[in-house]
Amino acid sequence: MIQVRVLGIALDAAQQHIVLLKPLLDDGVAGRVLPIWIGAQEATSILIAVEGEQAPRPLSHDLMKTLLDTLDATVDRIEVTRIEEGTFYAEITLTTASGIRVIDARPSDAVALAVRAEAPLFVAEQVFDEAGIPAEFTEPAEEEEVDKFKQFLDEVDPEDFQG
């Protein structure tokens, strides 16, 4: 597993939201970023949490965190574990009064919860191998690099990442 952080949220050419996950350390995937297509609501939820803001009313992920806190459960870690037929899968590991529990989750929900719980995020190395993209496409420092990233987003299709 490779520990990552949320680099940001982006839009592809079709205005689909993407969460970008970047390795904290080299871990064999230096210079790569993992894009995961997510829904607009999940993108908003992640952005609000990353920026340390709060919505006027609790969002679903805020409710999840409150429920866990109320039950004295903690989010130990989030793992993006695999890709099957273009779909990413994740797991949430919780410590509860009755022991450790691992729960299947959509990566978007898992990431939104992890940011709120300040839990570490991990991605399986195989997932990076299958779907990682060069980081220079996501770090546009110059106009030419911005154009390259725009071209990549224009040409990429979520189906490109199907195994």
Side-chain angles (χ1 to χ4, degrees), residues 1-2 21 29 32-36 79-84 87-90 107 122-133 161:
M1 287 287 170
I2 299 163
L21 302 179
V29 290
R32 299 193 61 79
V33 172
L34 181 69
I36 301 176
E79 297 179 357
V80 178
T81 57
R82 67 188 191 281
I83 303 172
E84 289 182 12
T87 300
F88 290 82
Y89 290 82
F122 295 89
V123 174
E125 192 169 339
Q126 181 181 355
V127 172
F128 257 104
D129 291 344
E130 288 181 42
I133 62 171
F161 298 105

Side-chain angles (χ1 to χ4, degrees), residues 104-115:
D104 181 44
R106 297 182 310 170
S108 56
D109 292 327
V111 169
L113 182 59
V115 173

